[in-house]
Amino acid sequence: MMLTVTAHSERETPASGGLSAGVRRITLDAAGVPLSALLSEPDGGRPPRATVVALHGGGMSAGYFDGQAHPDVSLLTLGARLGYAVLALDRPGYGASAPHLPTGQHLLDQAATVRSALADAQAHHVSGPLFLLAHSFGGKLALALAADAQPDAFIGLDISGCGHRPAASVALLGPGARTGLRRLNWGPLGHYPDGTFREAGAVVAPMPGQEIESAQEWAALSTRLLPCVRVPVRFTFAEHEAWWCQSDADLADLAAQLSAAPRVLLDRLSGAGHNISLGRAARAYHLRALAFLDECLDENGAPSAAR
């Protein structure tokens, strides 16, 4: 059954309260399912060198990449200043799709839905190569998208807050399980700008049931997906990341699992907790991620960005 979606000419709405200047809300058609998103683009009508597709984690929303607690936090504004379009999606089960997908979707179904949404985005909203920048559960989705994509679909992946060996029980994500979640999700609160938790109400969202089930299946599913990724990948682990094992042996095994990727980079970020893109270290992380995107463009023969 196809769901009705507003015509393209009526989709865009101007920036409103809670969004950074230059960021606007759009809605994409994912084969009949509406997916809401935030979009920023370079000033002056310049064509972007690439489009960063940002995928948030479980229990968050696209606003995770446009933090309002400090001007340095927003990936959407930084990316646009450096000549990139940034498209932050509300993943299936969040935002506009939540009424249509009240229990969300399993990981591979999310990949199919997002693939349709990106086709719509490329037809009507964005241009240039696509680069996936993803956090936590969004990192699993990025890997699933890349594992089942044509070789030229994405030029690279940058993933934070996601590994392949859990360090905490995913049962903590279930209904009523709250003990320890603050430490796992945030780490030391001093690593976040003043006002972060006052603004967090506009960013957090309930984690759909099917997504929780998928999280419990990741350890097994990752062994199928990782060897199929054929683009460069960079992983960042926060100093206070508590969801994932990140010893040298763990990270060496993670890289080995990505046997078809032409390049795998592993980075650690000091002074950061799990929710890196909302923390004081967000700008440093985003700059490193966009530098990696520059490298991926160079490897694909694109001209270097003017700084």
Side-chain angles (χ1 to χ4, degrees):
M1 177 178 175
M2 297 295 287
L3 304 172
T4 302
V5 181
T6 307
H8 290 285
S9 61
E10 299 175 354
R11 287 184 190 175
E12 296 183 4
T13 57
S16 58
L19 296 182
S20 298
V23 177
R24 67 182 190 276
R25 302 184 193 275
I26 64 172
T27 303
L28 302 173
D29 180 359
V33 177
L35 246 59
S36 45
L38 302 178
L39 176 63
S40 63
E41 298 170 286
D43 290 338
R46 291 178 295 150
R49 299 186 61 242
T51 294
V52 177
V53 177
L55 303 169
H56 65 83
M60 287 287 178
S61 67
Y64 173 80
F65 295 104
D66 190 35
Q68 298 296 296
H70 191 279
D72 283 349
V73 171
S74 173
L75 169 70
L76 282 120
T77 56
L78 178 63
R81 284 201 301 271
L82 295 180
Y84 300 107
V86 183
L87 177 68
L89 300 180
D90 284 321
R91 291 190 294 99
Y94 296 84
S97 71
H100 307 283
L101 302 169
T103 62
Q105 289 183 316
H106 283 276
L107 178 62
L108 298 184
D109 293 328
Q110 285 196 39
T113 300
V114 168
R115 196 172 293 113
S116 295
L118 293 180
D120 184 53
Q122 289 179 299
H124 300 96
H125 295 287
V126 301
S127 60
L130 298 184
F131 177 85
L132 299 178
L133 188 153
H135 175 251
S136 197
F137 193 96
K140 301 172 187 178
L141 176 56
L143 290 162
L145 285 164
D148 189 31
Q150 296 298 317
D152 59 349
F154 308 108
I155 61 168
L157 279 61
D158 196 285
I159 295 170
S160 68
C162 180
H164 73 317
R165 291 176 173 170
S169 172
V170 291
L172 292 170
L173 297 173
R178 290 287 176 262
T179 303
L181 281 183
R182 185 206 61 76
R183 178 185 65 84
L184 290 166
N185 289 336
W186 298 95
L189 302 188
H191 289 321
Y192 297 88
D194 293 343
T196 295
F197 302 100
R198 183 177 63 248
E199 301 286 347
V203 176
V204 299
M207 192 171 181
Q210 291 193 58
E211 185 162 298
I212 293 174
E213 293 173 8
S214 279
Q216 295 168 343
E217 299 164 358
W218 175 244
L221 187 57
S222 65
T223 63
R224 280 176 43 202
L225 296 177
L226 296 181
C228 299
V229 175
R230 300 184 299 278
V231 295
V233 186
R234 192 180 83 100
F235 286 88
T236 297
F237 290 86
E239 177 183 0
H240 300 284
E241 175 61 63
W243 279 110
W244 300 101
C245 298
Q246 53 169 311
S247 70
D248 289 347
D250 293 318
L251 299 193
D253 186 71
L254 175 60
Q257 295 287 325
L258 289 151
S259 53
R263 193 155 59 105
V264 180
L265 280 68
L266 301 165
D267 197 5
R268 288 189 172 96
L269 186 65
S270 62
H274 176 71
N275 285 323
I276 289 176
S277 287
L278 292 173
R280 298 183 188 277
R283 179 177 172 84
Y285 164 63
H286 295 154
L287 285 169
R288 293 182 192 181
L290 294 173
F292 179 58
L293 167 52
D294 258 5
E295 293 174 8
C296 293
L297 285 171
D298 291 342
E299 290 167 6
N300 280 269
S304 298
R307 290 287 181 253

